[in-house]
Amino acid sequence: MMQKLYYLKDLKQIHATIVKTSVPHDNPFQLSKLIELSALSCNRGCFLYAHKLFSQIQNPNLFLYNTMIRGSLINKEPNKATLLYIQMRKQNILPNNFTYPFVLRAFEEQFELKRGEEVHGCILKTGFGSNLFVLTTLLNMYSSCGKTSKAFTKVFEEMPVKDVVSWNSMISGHLRHGELELARKYFDKAPDTSLVSWNSMVAGYANSGNMIEAERLFMKMPAKDATSWNSLISGYVKVGDVTSAERLFERMPERDVVSWSLVIDGYVKNGQHDRSLGFFHQMQLVGVEPSVITLISVLTACANLGALELGRWIHCYIEKREFTLDNKLGTALIDMYAKCGDIGKGLEVFSSLERGKDVITWTSVIVGLATNGKCREALDFFTRMVTEGIKPDEITFLGVLCACSHQGFVNEGRRYFDSMVKDYHLLPRIEHYSCMIDLFGRAGLLEEAKDLVENMPFQADSVILGSLLAACQAHKNVDLGEWVMKLLTEIEPENKGNYVMLSNIYAVAGRWENVAQIRKKLKEKGTRRIPGSSSIEVDYQVHEFLSGDRSHSRSMEIYEMLDLLRGSDK
């Protein structure tokens, strides 16, 4: 009976039956069963109904308190569990071995270490200091609340009986706080290890970047499941070795959605976006349903490749499968539409987000508008964001300053740059200085740009100096161009593009002798042109082509078609 999922309608019918059959409303057994059915249902309406019934009981017993505390955790309301426990103690009702594990979990989820320590004292006073289940939950509470020193170790050492779950708690507790050596010590000492123990240690080494020891331990495992393989794949992805991650993926006996998502995300993070989309297509062919994490990774790849059609297909898939469009998934969609040139659709997604939009969501719109040339709209969105009480971060200001730079809003740029420090106490990074220098350079305020280069708390990089050199070319400032070029040659002496730009500055000024000197230098260095490239999306796949490249699998057909088109133009 308790396994059945009840709905509010069902529970009200049961309640009505109790009343109709003239059973006294305060009958403890009948009402207790009704509250139990309501509280333990994974339905918020039923849970609230249980609270209403519970509040009508004058002297609730321990069973009812335990039921309500457990129901609060099931319905993800740890604060309500805490309040019920406090209320119970005020009524001088002593907890038992069923109360403590749920109360400790409530404090664990709220990081209430002090209250957890008080419960620890109560456990000892009420004689449950030897209960294995209670003490194991206590270990987890100390570990999650950031304490793995004396109290954590003392609880474990004083346990009269230790089972595999207790040992696992010690191992995972130390791993949670980066104490890999201590975790290994308990792992080696454990009289019996489970698959959970092995997986924890493999994941611990993988997360720390020690892939040699992670793989060595992985090879020794008496049994492996998908989690074992995924932990190792995740470790290789984190250290940037996607080749090894794929090698393991191909060897897996059974792959789940996590396995596919890890490899797809690994290629995205390593800039191999076309490869990630290839894996996504394979995933679809074998019938594995993508998760939200998978979709976010694929949308990121689409954004970087400009694969708008595939991005639209994923958007339709999200709606068809009724995925919850939360901030993370919504932001990924907005970013994809913005980078693929359809900022209008991105704004539609932004408007459709029902839950409170966070700073990342607002920033994605501001940056998207700026990069799509809608700079005034980007600044208007920033004003709306601040008005709604969302505090901007460094990335938000980067989008705002880019908008000012692209549109030439000099005064606004100065004001926003100053506001970062004065109003929001954010320290500008080199990217923010780069935007300001670019803004001044485009506006012809070259001396102001130079002052900022000389006085900023960073050494100017090639991006900043390159934009300033371009400004010198646009505004025919030879002296400043020579000064910038001197700095650039120290940073990247082999970059021929800088010499070409300086040559153009000399040419505009009519200094042909200097032009000849630059050309001579270029000849001595030997110029090598980087071949141009282009890409096209066909049937949700992105194909990239280099100038003069014939490596594509259908290059013969492509060139035949080009010859045919040339012939038709004659």
Side-chain angles (χ1 to χ4, degrees):
M1 184 178 176
M2 291 302 298
Q3 298 299 317
K4 183 179 176 182
L5 176 62
Y6 283 86
Y7 295 95
L8 186 57
K9 178 180 66 175
D10 304 322
L11 296 166
K12 285 184 175 180
Q13 286 176 353
I14 296 170
H15 194 182
T17 304
I18 292 172
V19 175
K20 279 183 180 180
T21 51
S22 301
V23 177
H25 186 267
D26 60 350
N27 182 292
F29 177 75
Q30 295 289 350
L31 210 51
S32 294
K33 296 305 290 182
L34 185 57
I35 289 172
E36 188 178 8
L37 292 174
S38 308
L40 303 183
S41 175
C42 296
N43 179 299
R44 182 157 180 79
C46 296
F47 175 64
L48 294 174
Y49 189 63
H51 257 282
K52 190 175 179 180
L53 291 172
F54 180 79
S55 65
Q56 295 173 10
I57 299 175
Q58 290 184 354
N59 297 302
N61 58 24
L62 179 59
F63 172 79
L64 282 174
Y65 270 113
N66 284 348
T67 301
M68 291 303 298
I69 290 168
R70 183 184 170 197
S72 299
L73 285 172
I74 289 171
N75 287 276
K76 299 179 180 176
E77 295 271 11
N79 57 321
K80 280 189 169 60
T82 302
L83 292 172
L84 285 162
Y85 173 73
I86 293 168
Q87 181 182 324
M88 183 184 88
R89 298 294 292 122
K90 282 180 180 178
Q91 293 180 357
N92 294 320
I93 297 175
L94 287 176
N96 64 7
N97 58 311
F98 295 105
T99 318
Y100 288 123
F102 294 113
V103 171
L104 287 167
R105 269 185 54 201
F107 291 136
E108 178 186 333
E109 289 182 23
Q110 297 175 95
F111 298 99
E112 289 273 7
L113 179 60
K114 189 176 179 182
R115 288 186 183 275
E117 288 175 328
E118 290 171 3
V119 174
H120 185 181
C122 192
I123 288 168
L124 298 175
K125 287 177 185 176
T126 50
F128 291 99
S130 60
N131 186 287
L132 184 62
F133 186 48
V134 171
L135 293 179
T136 303
T137 316
L138 186 63
L139 275 177
N140 291 333
M141 188 278 298
Y142 275 121
S143 170
S144 296
C145 291
K147 205 163 188 177
T148 58
S149 52
K150 292 180 182 177
F152 182 68
T153 308
K154 189 178 179 184
V155 170
F156 181 77
E157 297 298 340
E158 292 181 356
M159 289 175 76
V161 179
K162 302 176 182 70
D163 63 1
V164 68
V165 179
S166 316
W167 285 95
N168 286 346
S169 295
M170 287 300 286
I171 294 164
S172 61
H174 286 299
L175 287 172
R176 186 179 285 119
H177 298 282
E179 298 165 347
L180 193 53
E181 290 182 12
L182 279 171
R184 184 59 185 265
K185 172 188 163 186
Y186 282 101
F187 176 79
D188 291 337
K189 280 173 66 177
D192 188 24
T193 52
S194 66
L195 183 59
V196 174
S197 321
W198 284 91
N199 282 343
S200 295
M201 285 309 306
V202 170
Y205 281 113
N207 290 334
S208 70
N210 187 347
M211 297 311 300
I212 294 172
E213 190 58 35
E215 187 142 6
R216 184 181 292 139
L217 209 58
F218 176 80
M219 297 304 293
K220 289 181 181 178
M221 291 182 75
K224 300 179 182 73
D225 62 2
T227 303
S228 319
W229 291 87
N230 291 339
S231 295
L232 207 57
I233 290 170
S234 176
Y236 278 118
V237 167
K238 282 180 181 176
V239 299
D241 187 356
V242 195
T243 305
S244 294
E246 187 180 340
R247 168 181 57 82
L248 281 166
F249 177 83
E250 296 297 342
R251 284 171 48 201
M252 284 184 77
E254 289 185 18
R255 306 176 187 109
D256 59 12
V257 64
V258 177
S259 320
W260 286 95
S261 299
L262 282 168
V263 177
I264 289 168
D265 188 53
Y267 278 114
V268 169
K269 285 177 178 172
N270 283 273
Q272 299 182 50
H273 305 293
D274 53 344
R275 187 84 174 130
S276 71
L277 293 186
F279 264 89
F280 179 64
H281 289 304
Q282 288 181 46
M283 181 181 179
Q284 290 176 288
L285 290 172
V286 297
V288 177
E289 291 283 332
S291 66
V292 171
I293 293 170
T294 321
L295 296 174
I296 289 172
S297 297
V298 175
L299 284 169
T300 303
C302 291
N304 285 280
L305 289 171
L308 180 58
E309 289 308 311
L310 178 57
R312 283 176 176 158
W313 182 88
I314 291 170
H315 192 179
C316 291
Y317 182 88
I318 289 166
E319 292 175 340
K320 186 179 178 182
R321 296 287 179 174
E322 296 182 344
F323 280 90
T324 301
L325 199 61
D326 60 7
N327 282 341
K328 288 184 179 178
L329 193 54
T331 301
L333 273 171
I334 293 165
D335 186 56
M336 181 277 296
Y337 279 122
K339 287 181 178 174
C340 291
D342 192 353
I343 187 61
K345 192 66 178 175
L347 290 172
E348 285 180 26
V349 174
F350 179 82
S351 300
S352 70
L353 292 175
E354 294 178 1
R355 296 184 183 180
K357 305 170 183 82
D358 60 13
V359 62
I360 300 171
T361 314
W362 281 91
T363 299
S364 66
V365 175
I366 291 167
V367 172
L369 287 165
T371 52
N372 280 272
K374 297 183 180 293
C375 301
R376 178 52 67 188
E377 290 92 329
L379 300 185
D380 291 341
F381 251 85
F382 178 80
T383 304
R384 275 181 57 191
M385 170 185 164
V386 173
T387 304
E388 293 194 19
I390 308 293
K391 185 180 177 182
D393 61 12
E394 291 92 341
I395 309 298
T396 317
F397 274 104
L398 194 58
V400 168
L401 293 176
C402 282
C404 294
S405 174
H406 292 161
Q407 203 64 32
F409 297 146
V410 176
N411 292 329
E412 288 93 331
R414 288 195 188 103
R415 189 173 71 249
Y416 287 123
F417 189 75
D418 291 340
S419 177
M420 275 189 73
V421 180
K422 291 179 182 176
D423 300 329
Y424 299 100
H425 310 292
L426 299 170
L427 289 176
R429 301 199 301 236
I430 193 166
E431 295 88 354
H432 300 98
Y433 281 97
S434 180
C435 283
M436 290 303 295
I437 290 162
D438 186 56
L439 171 61
F440 292 146
R442 288 172 186 246
L445 303 171
L446 299 183
E447 286 303 317
E448 197 167 345
K450 181 186 177 185
D451 288 342
L452 201 55
V453 169
E454 291 180 315
N455 294 307
M456 66 180 185
F458 313 98
Q459 184 178 357
D461 62 9
S462 58
V463 175
I464 288 176
L465 295 173
S467 70
L468 187 52
L469 187 63
C472 292
Q473 179 182 343
H475 297 283
K476 305 174 185 178
N477 191 320
V478 177
D479 293 336
L480 185 58
E482 289 178 327
W483 178 80
V484 174
M485 188 63 190
K486 185 180 177 183
L487 296 176
L488 272 170
T489 50
E490 293 174 5
I491 298 172
E492 43 180 26
E494 298 303 316
N495 190 331
K496 281 84 176 180
N498 296 331
Y499 289 96
V500 172
M501 206 177 295
L502 183 61
S503 173
N504 292 338
I505 295 172
Y506 284 137
V508 170
R511 291 171 55 170
W512 301 109
E513 187 178 334
N514 296 115
V515 172
Q517 289 172 352
I518 294 291
R519 286 180 178 173
K520 185 180 178 183
K521 273 187 182 179
L522 285 171
K523 194 174 182 181
E524 289 170 356
K525 286 178 177 289
T527 55
R528 180 176 174 271
R529 292 181 64 188
I530 298 171
S533 67
S534 61
S535 62
I536 187 170
E537 184 185 6
V538 179
D539 295 333
Y540 307 125
Q541 283 191 301
V542 177
H543 302 265
E544 188 175 18
F545 301 91
L546 294 174
S547 177
D549 179 29
R550 290 179 179 266
S551 61
H552 192 276
S553 59
R554 300 183 66 181
S555 61
M556 188 176 292
E557 296 171 68
I558 292 166
Y559 279 99
E560 283 177 0
M561 179 58 71
L562 287 172
D563 290 338
L564 202 64
L565 290 170
R566 286 194 197 99
S568 65
D569 287 340
K570 291 178 182 178

